Amino acid sequence: MRAGDGCAGCRPADSLQMGLLLAATGGFLDAYTYVARGRVFANAQTGNLVLLGLRAFEADPQALRYLVPVCAFVLGIVLSEFLKARKRALHPVNWRQAVLGVEALVLVAAAFLPEAWNNLVNAGISFACAMQVNTFRAFEGNLYATTMCTGNLRSGTERLWRYARGRDQEDLRVGLQYFAVIGCFMLGAGLGGLLTQILRLRAALVPAGLLLAAALVMCREEEERP
């Protein structure tokens, strides 16, 4: 893609606007599980694997519980790949819209499960986030993640460094876009923490609504494409 091309020719699912919306959703869900569901982060699984290793070497019988969200994450990847493989059978529903619909249903269910079910809820959100991160992998041809920031931070910094050396406006544009995605993730986390304190468990309905809105936007934009 040449500098200035923007998102010409991109699918609605790969637009920057979709990336910003999904990043905000990812940040919201991390704040939700931390504030309302036992102070854990259900998006990225690195922390769960670290805790699993620590507890295993301490011979802690509770160590295996950290495998639950990891396994749920794996299942989310598998289901998203299954929907992708079955995209012809899903016609006229876009398979990415189907993924957003499944994720929204998981979050609606989470909103009505009591705190005694926190482990199941966190596993469900890990499952949903795995579907999201595996389905929406790029904006305008640039790889990124919508439920974590480490890779985005690396890519954005790399692009800005390349701009500082070569003054290529495309590097500057893409670098700033990466940091906009990170900013939306942080904004979502902030709003998620605030709304979860107010709405408590029902706060999961907010990102569910955002995902359904994103699916409708994709549908409208697909219809408008020539």
Side-chain angles (χ1 to χ4, degrees), residues 33 37 40 42 45 48 65 67-76 106 117-130:
T33 57
R37 296 294 185 176
V40 299
Q45 299 305 309
N48 290 323
R65 73 186 180 95
L67 270 180
V68 175
V70 174
C71 292
F73 191 91
V74 171
L75 289 175
V106 170
W117 294 69
N118 278 356
N119 288 336
L120 178 62
V121 169
N122 290 331
I125 292 177
S126 293
F127 171 85
C129 289

PDB file of all heavy atoms in Angstrom, residues 33 37 40 42 45 48 65 67-76 106 117-130:
ATOM      1  N   THR A  33     -13.245  -7.601  33.962  1.00  0.00           N
ATOM      2  CA  THR A  33     -12.867  -8.807  34.701  1.00  0.00           C
ATOM      3  C   THR A  33     -12.010  -8.473  35.917  1.00  0.00           C
ATOM      4  O   THR A  33     -12.070  -9.169  36.933  1.00  0.00           O
ATOM      5  CB  THR A  33     -12.116  -9.798  33.787  1.00  0.00           C
ATOM      6  OG1 THR A  33     -10.965  -9.159  33.224  1.00  0.00           O
ATOM      7  CG2 THR A  33     -13.022 -10.300  32.685  1.00  0.00           C
ATOM      8  N   ARG A  37     -14.729  -9.315  38.418  1.00  0.00           N
ATOM      9  CA  ARG A  37     -14.648 -10.772  38.311  1.00  0.00           C
ATOM     10  C   ARG A  37     -13.365 -11.339  38.900  1.00  0.00           C
ATOM     11  O   ARG A  37     -12.717 -12.205  38.311  1.00  0.00           O
ATOM     12  CB  ARG A  37     -14.787 -11.193  36.845  1.00  0.00           C
ATOM     13  CG  ARG A  37     -16.143 -10.867  36.224  1.00  0.00           C
ATOM     14  CD  ARG A  37     -17.240 -11.666  36.863  1.00  0.00           C
ATOM     15  NE  ARG A  37     -18.543 -11.466  36.194  1.00  0.00           N
ATOM     16  CZ  ARG A  37     -19.641 -12.119  36.515  1.00  0.00           C
ATOM     17  NH1 ARG A  37     -19.635 -13.016  37.476  1.00  0.00           N
ATOM     18  NH2 ARG A  37     -20.769 -11.892  35.878  1.00  0.00           N
ATOM     19  N   VAL A  40      -8.713 -10.320  37.769  1.00  0.00           N
ATOM     20  CA  VAL A  40      -7.896 -11.032  36.784  1.00  0.00           C
ATOM     21  C   VAL A  40      -8.070 -10.332  35.437  1.00  0.00           C
ATOM     22  O   VAL A  40      -9.038  -9.599  35.210  1.00  0.00           O
ATOM     23  CB  VAL A  40      -8.303 -12.508  36.647  1.00  0.00           C
ATOM     24  CG1 VAL A  40      -8.132 -13.244  37.953  1.00  0.00           C
ATOM     25  CG2 VAL A  40      -9.745 -12.635  36.165  1.00  0.00           C
ATOM     26  N   ALA A  42      -8.653 -11.203  31.636  1.00  0.00           N
ATOM     27  CA  ALA A  42      -9.105 -12.358  30.874  1.00  0.00           C
ATOM     28  C   ALA A  42      -8.702 -12.318  29.406  1.00  0.00           C
ATOM     29  O   ALA A  42      -8.957 -13.266  28.683  1.00  0.00           O
ATOM     30  CB  ALA A  42     -10.630 -12.485  30.968  1.00  0.00           C
ATOM     31  N   GLN A  45      -3.213 -14.268  27.615  1.00  0.00           N
ATOM     32  CA  GLN A  45      -3.020 -15.455  28.438  1.00  0.00           C
ATOM     33  C   GLN A  45      -1.615 -15.566  29.040  1.00  0.00           C
ATOM     34  O   GLN A  45      -1.343 -16.521  29.770  1.00  0.00           O
ATOM     35  CB  GLN A  45      -3.323 -16.699  27.604  1.00  0.00           C
ATOM     36  CG  GLN A  45      -4.745 -16.747  27.094  1.00  0.00           C
ATOM     37  CD  GLN A  45      -5.758 -16.612  28.212  1.00  0.00           C
ATOM     38  OE1 GLN A  45      -5.691 -17.312  29.212  1.00  0.00           O
ATOM     39  NE2 GLN A  45      -6.702 -15.694  28.051  1.00  0.00           N
ATOM     40  N   ASN A  48      -1.715 -15.789  32.818  1.00  0.00           N
ATOM     41  CA  ASN A  48      -2.213 -17.073  33.307  1.00  0.00           C
ATOM     42  C   ASN A  48      -1.156 -18.168  33.205  1.00  0.00           C
ATOM     43  O   ASN A  48      -1.034 -19.018  34.086  1.00  0.00           O
ATOM     44  CB  ASN A  48      -3.456 -17.487  32.511  1.00  0.00           C
ATOM     45  CG  ASN A  48      -4.653 -16.608  32.816  1.00  0.00           C
ATOM     46  OD1 ASN A  48      -4.850 -16.185  33.943  1.00  0.00           O
ATOM     47  ND2 ASN A  48      -5.443 -16.324  31.806  1.00  0.00           N
ATOM     48  N   ARG A  65      -6.364 -24.414  37.845  1.00  0.00           N
ATOM     49  CA  ARG A  65      -7.464 -23.503  37.504  1.00  0.00           C
ATOM     50  C   ARG A  65      -7.026 -22.442  36.505  1.00  0.00           C
ATOM     51  O   ARG A  65      -7.855 -21.868  35.792  1.00  0.00           O
ATOM     52  CB  ARG A  65      -8.036 -22.847  38.761  1.00  0.00           C
ATOM     53  CG  ARG A  65      -7.191 -21.777  39.411  1.00  0.00           C
ATOM     54  CD  ARG A  65      -7.810 -21.333  40.724  1.00  0.00           C
ATOM     55  NE  ARG A  65      -7.052 -20.308  41.403  1.00  0.00           N
ATOM     56  CZ  ARG A  65      -7.296 -19.010  41.290  1.00  0.00           C
ATOM     57  NH1 ARG A  65      -8.277 -18.592  40.520  1.00  0.00           N
ATOM     58  NH2 ARG A  65      -6.579 -18.129  41.951  1.00  0.00           N
ATOM     59  N   LEU A  67      -5.406 -23.108  33.957  1.00  0.00           N
ATOM     60  CA  LEU A  67      -5.522 -23.722  32.636  1.00  0.00           C
ATOM     61  C   LEU A  67      -6.883 -23.470  32.005  1.00  0.00           C
ATOM     62  O   LEU A  67      -7.027 -23.554  30.780  1.00  0.00           O
ATOM     63  CB  LEU A  67      -5.297 -25.229  32.734  1.00  0.00           C
ATOM     64  CG  LEU A  67      -3.872 -25.754  32.585  1.00  0.00           C
ATOM     65  CD1 LEU A  67      -3.866 -27.268  32.710  1.00  0.00           C
ATOM     66  CD2 LEU A  67      -3.271 -25.328  31.254  1.00  0.00           C
ATOM     67  N   VAL A  68      -7.880 -23.169  32.822  1.00  0.00           N
ATOM     68  CA  VAL A  68      -9.240 -23.012  32.308  1.00  0.00           C
ATOM     69  C   VAL A  68      -9.331 -21.886  31.288  1.00  0.00           C
ATOM     70  O   VAL A  68      -9.802 -22.101  30.156  1.00  0.00           O
ATOM     71  CB  VAL A  68     -10.241 -22.814  33.462  1.00  0.00           C
ATOM     72  CG1 VAL A  68     -11.637 -22.519  32.912  1.00  0.00           C
ATOM     73  CG2 VAL A  68     -10.266 -24.047  34.356  1.00  0.00           C
ATOM     74  N   PRO A  69      -8.890 -20.655  31.621  1.00  0.00           N
ATOM     75  CA  PRO A  69      -8.974 -19.593  30.604  1.00  0.00           C
ATOM     76  C   PRO A  69      -8.063 -19.855  29.409  1.00  0.00           C
ATOM     77  O   PRO A  69      -8.398 -19.462  28.286  1.00  0.00           O
ATOM     78  CB  PRO A  69      -8.568 -18.328  31.367  1.00  0.00           C
ATOM     79  CG  PRO A  69      -7.814 -18.806  32.549  1.00  0.00           C
ATOM     80  CD  PRO A  69      -8.413 -20.120  32.907  1.00  0.00           C
ATOM     81  N   VAL A  70      -6.923 -20.516  29.636  1.00  0.00           N
ATOM     82  CA  VAL A  70      -6.020 -20.830  28.516  1.00  0.00           C
ATOM     83  C   VAL A  70      -6.713 -21.786  27.544  1.00  0.00           C
ATOM     84  O   VAL A  70      -6.682 -21.581  26.318  1.00  0.00           O
ATOM     85  CB  VAL A  70      -4.701 -21.433  29.032  1.00  0.00           C
ATOM     86  CG1 VAL A  70      -3.838 -21.901  27.865  1.00  0.00           C
ATOM     87  CG2 VAL A  70      -3.940 -20.411  29.868  1.00  0.00           C
ATOM     88  N   CYS A  71      -7.344 -22.817  28.078  1.00  0.00           N
ATOM     89  CA  CYS A  71      -8.065 -23.767  27.227  1.00  0.00           C
ATOM     90  C   CYS A  71      -9.252 -23.089  26.529  1.00  0.00           C
ATOM     91  O   CYS A  71      -9.543 -23.382  25.357  1.00  0.00           O
ATOM     92  CB  CYS A  71      -8.555 -24.948  28.050  1.00  0.00           C
ATOM     93  SG  CYS A  71      -7.226 -26.010  28.657  1.00  0.00           S
ATOM     94  N   ALA A  72      -9.917 -22.182  27.247  1.00  0.00           N
ATOM     95  CA  ALA A  72     -11.025 -21.446  26.639  1.00  0.00           C
ATOM     96  C   ALA A  72     -10.530 -20.582  25.484  1.00  0.00           C
ATOM     97  O   ALA A  72     -11.186 -20.458  24.447  1.00  0.00           O
ATOM     98  CB  ALA A  72     -11.719 -20.588  27.695  1.00  0.00           C
ATOM     99  N   PHE A  73      -9.354 -19.995  25.658  1.00  0.00           N
ATOM    100  CA  PHE A  73      -8.757 -19.177  24.603  1.00  0.00           C
ATOM    101  C   PHE A  73      -8.491 -20.039  23.367  1.00  0.00           C
ATOM    102  O   PHE A  73      -8.782 -19.648  22.231  1.00  0.00           O
ATOM    103  CB  PHE A  73      -7.457 -18.553  25.119  1.00  0.00           C
ATOM    104  CG  PHE A  73      -6.884 -17.493  24.230  1.00  0.00           C
ATOM    105  CD1 PHE A  73      -7.230 -16.161  24.401  1.00  0.00           C
ATOM    106  CD2 PHE A  73      -5.982 -17.811  23.223  1.00  0.00           C
ATOM    107  CE1 PHE A  73      -6.702 -15.170  23.578  1.00  0.00           C
ATOM    108  CE2 PHE A  73      -5.439 -16.844  22.403  1.00  0.00           C
ATOM    109  CZ  PHE A  73      -5.797 -15.514  22.584  1.00  0.00           C
ATOM    110  N   VAL A  74      -7.948 -21.220  23.584  1.00  0.00           N
ATOM    111  CA  VAL A  74      -7.669 -22.139  22.478  1.00  0.00           C
ATOM    112  C   VAL A  74      -8.964 -22.501  21.748  1.00  0.00           C
ATOM    113  O   VAL A  74      -9.024 -22.519  20.509  1.00  0.00           O
ATOM    114  CB  VAL A  74      -6.955 -23.403  22.994  1.00  0.00           C
ATOM    115  CG1 VAL A  74      -6.860 -24.454  21.890  1.00  0.00           C
ATOM    116  CG2 VAL A  74      -5.564 -23.051  23.514  1.00  0.00           C
ATOM    117  N   LEU A  75     -10.014 -22.775  22.499  1.00  0.00           N
ATOM    118  CA  LEU A  75     -11.299 -23.124  21.888  1.00  0.00           C
ATOM    119  C   LEU A  75     -11.859 -21.952  21.080  1.00  0.00           C
ATOM    120  O   LEU A  75     -12.489 -22.159  20.029  1.00  0.00           O
ATOM    121  CB  LEU A  75     -12.301 -23.538  22.967  1.00  0.00           C
ATOM    122  CG  LEU A  75     -12.037 -24.886  23.632  1.00  0.00           C
ATOM    123  CD1 LEU A  75     -13.035 -25.128  24.763  1.00  0.00           C
ATOM    124  CD2 LEU A  75     -12.109 -26.019  22.616  1.00  0.00           C
ATOM    125  N   GLY A  76     -11.633 -20.733  21.558  1.00  0.00           N
ATOM    126  CA  GLY A  76     -12.079 -19.559  20.814  1.00  0.00           C
ATOM    127  C   GLY A  76     -11.381 -19.450  19.468  1.00  0.00           C
ATOM    128  O   GLY A  76     -12.002 -19.107  18.444  1.00  0.00           O
ATOM    129  N   VAL A 106     -21.846 -14.300  24.403  1.00  0.00           N
ATOM    130  CA  VAL A 106     -21.067 -14.691  25.578  1.00  0.00           C
ATOM    131  C   VAL A 106     -21.096 -13.577  26.625  1.00  0.00           C
ATOM    132  O   VAL A 106     -21.265 -13.835  27.834  1.00  0.00           O
ATOM    133  CB  VAL A 106     -19.617 -15.026  25.183  1.00  0.00           C
ATOM    134  CG1 VAL A 106     -18.736 -15.191  26.422  1.00  0.00           C
ATOM    135  CG2 VAL A 106     -19.577 -16.293  24.344  1.00  0.00           C
ATOM    136  N   TRP A 117     -19.794 -17.584  39.878  1.00  0.00           N
ATOM    137  CA  TRP A 117     -19.447 -18.177  38.590  1.00  0.00           C
ATOM    138  C   TRP A 117     -18.294 -17.435  37.917  1.00  0.00           C
ATOM    139  O   TRP A 117     -18.112 -17.540  36.697  1.00  0.00           O
ATOM    140  CB  TRP A 117     -20.661 -18.183  37.670  1.00  0.00           C
ATOM    141  CG  TRP A 117     -21.771 -19.073  38.127  1.00  0.00           C
ATOM    142  CD1 TRP A 117     -22.573 -18.896  39.214  1.00  0.00           C
ATOM    143  CD2 TRP A 117     -22.195 -20.284  37.514  1.00  0.00           C
ATOM    144  NE1 TRP A 117     -23.480 -19.914  39.321  1.00  0.00           N
ATOM    145  CE2 TRP A 117     -23.272 -20.786  38.289  1.00  0.00           C
ATOM    146  CE3 TRP A 117     -21.781 -21.008  36.396  1.00  0.00           C
ATOM    147  CZ2 TRP A 117     -23.928 -21.960  37.967  1.00  0.00           C
ATOM    148  CZ3 TRP A 117     -22.442 -22.177  36.078  1.00  0.00           C
ATOM    149  CH2 TRP A 117     -23.502 -22.645  36.859  1.00  0.00           C
ATOM    150  N   ASN A 118     -17.502 -16.712  38.689  1.00  0.00           N
ATOM    151  CA  ASN A 118     -16.443 -15.881  38.100  1.00  0.00           C
ATOM    152  C   ASN A 118     -15.482 -16.667  37.218  1.00  0.00           C
ATOM    153  O   ASN A 118     -15.069 -16.188  36.163  1.00  0.00           O
ATOM    154  CB  ASN A 118     -15.660 -15.161  39.205  1.00  0.00           C
ATOM    155  CG  ASN A 118     -16.352 -13.904  39.680  1.00  0.00           C
ATOM    156  OD1 ASN A 118     -17.388 -13.513  39.136  1.00  0.00           O
ATOM    157  ND2 ASN A 118     -15.793 -13.265  40.686  1.00  0.00           N
ATOM    158  N   ASN A 119     -15.091 -17.854  37.660  1.00  0.00           N
ATOM    159  CA  ASN A 119     -14.146 -18.637  36.859  1.00  0.00           C
ATOM    160  C   ASN A 119     -14.724 -18.970  35.487  1.00  0.00           C
ATOM    161  O   ASN A 119     -14.021 -18.880  34.471  1.00  0.00           O
ATOM    162  CB  ASN A 119     -13.754 -19.927  37.593  1.00  0.00           C
ATOM    163  CG  ASN A 119     -12.845 -19.668  38.778  1.00  0.00           C
ATOM    164  OD1 ASN A 119     -12.144 -18.652  38.830  1.00  0.00           O
ATOM    165  ND2 ASN A 119     -12.849 -20.569  39.742  1.00  0.00           N
ATOM    166  N   LEU A 120     -15.995 -19.328  35.457  1.00  0.00           N
ATOM    167  CA  LEU A 120     -16.645 -19.632  34.186  1.00  0.00           C
ATOM    168  C   LEU A 120     -16.757 -18.380  33.320  1.00  0.00           C
ATOM    169  O   LEU A 120     -16.521 -18.425  32.104  1.00  0.00           O
ATOM    170  CB  LEU A 120     -18.028 -20.222  34.434  1.00  0.00           C
ATOM    171  CG  LEU A 120     -18.856 -20.540  33.180  1.00  0.00           C
ATOM    172  CD1 LEU A 120     -18.146 -21.593  32.329  1.00  0.00           C
ATOM    173  CD2 LEU A 120     -20.246 -21.006  33.564  1.00  0.00           C
ATOM    174  N   VAL A 121     -17.105 -17.258  33.950  1.00  0.00           N
ATOM    175  CA  VAL A 121     -17.233 -16.006  33.203  1.00  0.00           C
ATOM    176  C   VAL A 121     -15.893 -15.593  32.600  1.00  0.00           C
ATOM    177  O   VAL A 121     -15.806 -15.208  31.424  1.00  0.00           O
ATOM    178  CB  VAL A 121     -17.781 -14.888  34.109  1.00  0.00           C
ATOM    179  CG1 VAL A 121     -17.675 -13.526  33.421  1.00  0.00           C
ATOM    180  CG2 VAL A 121     -19.235 -15.177  34.471  1.00  0.00           C
ATOM    181  N   ASN A 122     -14.836 -15.672  33.404  1.00  0.00           N
ATOM    182  CA  ASN A 122     -13.516 -15.298  32.897  1.00  0.00           C
ATOM    183  C   ASN A 122     -13.085 -16.208  31.747  1.00  0.00           C
ATOM    184  O   ASN A 122     -12.477 -15.754  30.775  1.00  0.00           O
ATOM    185  CB  ASN A 122     -12.488 -15.337  34.024  1.00  0.00           C
ATOM    186  CG  ASN A 122     -12.697 -14.220  35.027  1.00  0.00           C
ATOM    187  OD1 ASN A 122     -13.197 -13.156  34.684  1.00  0.00           O
ATOM    188  ND2 ASN A 122     -12.318 -14.445  36.275  1.00  0.00           N
ATOM    189  N   ALA A 123     -13.410 -17.490  31.877  1.00  0.00           N
ATOM    190  CA  ALA A 123     -13.107 -18.410  30.779  1.00  0.00           C
ATOM    191  C   ALA A 123     -13.910 -18.047  29.532  1.00  0.00           C
ATOM    192  O   ALA A 123     -13.387 -18.081  28.409  1.00  0.00           O
ATOM    193  CB  ALA A 123     -13.415 -19.847  31.204  1.00  0.00           C
ATOM    194  N   GLY A 124     -15.173 -17.681  29.722  1.00  0.00           N
ATOM    195  CA  GLY A 124     -16.004 -17.290  28.590  1.00  0.00           C
ATOM    196  C   GLY A 124     -15.487 -16.045  27.900  1.00  0.00           C
ATOM    197  O   GLY A 124     -15.478 -15.953  26.667  1.00  0.00           O
ATOM    198  N   ILE A 125     -15.033 -15.077  28.691  1.00  0.00           N
ATOM    199  CA  ILE A 125     -14.496 -13.851  28.097  1.00  0.00           C
ATOM    200  C   ILE A 125     -13.166 -14.134  27.399  1.00  0.00           C
ATOM    201  O   ILE A 125     -12.874 -13.562  26.338  1.00  0.00           O
ATOM    202  CB  ILE A 125     -14.372 -12.755  29.161  1.00  0.00           C
ATOM    203  CG1 ILE A 125     -15.776 -12.331  29.616  1.00  0.00           C
ATOM    204  CG2 ILE A 125     -13.595 -11.549  28.639  1.00  0.00           C
ATOM    205  CD1 ILE A 125     -15.807 -11.299  30.717  1.00  0.00           C
ATOM    206  N   SER A 126     -12.348 -15.021  27.965  1.00  0.00           N
ATOM    207  CA  SER A 126     -11.122 -15.434  27.277  1.00  0.00           C
ATOM    208  C   SER A 126     -11.456 -16.075  25.933  1.00  0.00           C
ATOM    209  O   SER A 126     -10.795 -15.823  24.925  1.00  0.00           O
ATOM    210  CB  SER A 126     -10.341 -16.429  28.141  1.00  0.00           C
ATOM    211  OG  SER A 126      -9.847 -15.818  29.309  1.00  0.00           O
ATOM    212  N   PHE A 127     -12.492 -16.908  25.922  1.00  0.00           N
ATOM    213  CA  PHE A 127     -12.966 -17.541  24.700  1.00  0.00           C
ATOM    214  C   PHE A 127     -13.382 -16.498  23.666  1.00  0.00           C
ATOM    215  O   PHE A 127     -12.982 -16.546  22.496  1.00  0.00           O
ATOM    216  CB  PHE A 127     -14.135 -18.455  25.051  1.00  0.00           C
ATOM    217  CG  PHE A 127     -14.874 -19.023  23.887  1.00  0.00           C
ATOM    218  CD1 PHE A 127     -14.426 -20.189  23.268  1.00  0.00           C
ATOM    219  CD2 PHE A 127     -16.026 -18.416  23.417  1.00  0.00           C
ATOM    220  CE1 PHE A 127     -15.120 -20.721  22.190  1.00  0.00           C
ATOM    221  CE2 PHE A 127     -16.715 -18.946  22.334  1.00  0.00           C
ATOM    222  CZ  PHE A 127     -16.259 -20.100  21.721  1.00  0.00           C
ATOM    223  N   ALA A 128     -14.172 -15.508  24.115  1.00  0.00           N
ATOM    224  CA  ALA A 128     -14.666 -14.475  23.208  1.00  0.00           C
ATOM    225  C   ALA A 128     -13.526 -13.614  22.669  1.00  0.00           C
ATOM    226  O   ALA A 128     -13.488 -13.286  21.478  1.00  0.00           O
ATOM    227  CB  ALA A 128     -15.687 -13.601  23.932  1.00  0.00           C
ATOM    228  N   CYS A 129     -12.597 -13.256  23.536  1.00  0.00           N
ATOM    229  CA  CYS A 129     -11.480 -12.415  23.104  1.00  0.00           C
ATOM    230  C   CYS A 129     -10.561 -13.152  22.136  1.00  0.00           C
ATOM    231  O   CYS A 129      -9.983 -12.545  21.231  1.00  0.00           O
ATOM    232  CB  CYS A 129     -10.687 -11.931  24.313  1.00  0.00           C
ATOM    233  SG  CYS A 129     -11.576 -10.703  25.297  1.00  0.00           S
ATOM    234  N   ALA A 130     -10.434 -14.462  22.315  1.00  0.00           N
ATOM    235  CA  ALA A 130      -9.639 -15.248  21.366  1.00  0.00           C
ATOM    236  C   ALA A 130     -10.271 -15.205  19.983  1.00  0.00           C
ATOM    237  O   ALA A 130      -9.564 -15.061  18.966  1.00  0.00           O
ATOM    238  CB  ALA A 130      -9.531 -16.691  21.853  1.00  0.00           C
TER     239      ALA A 130
END
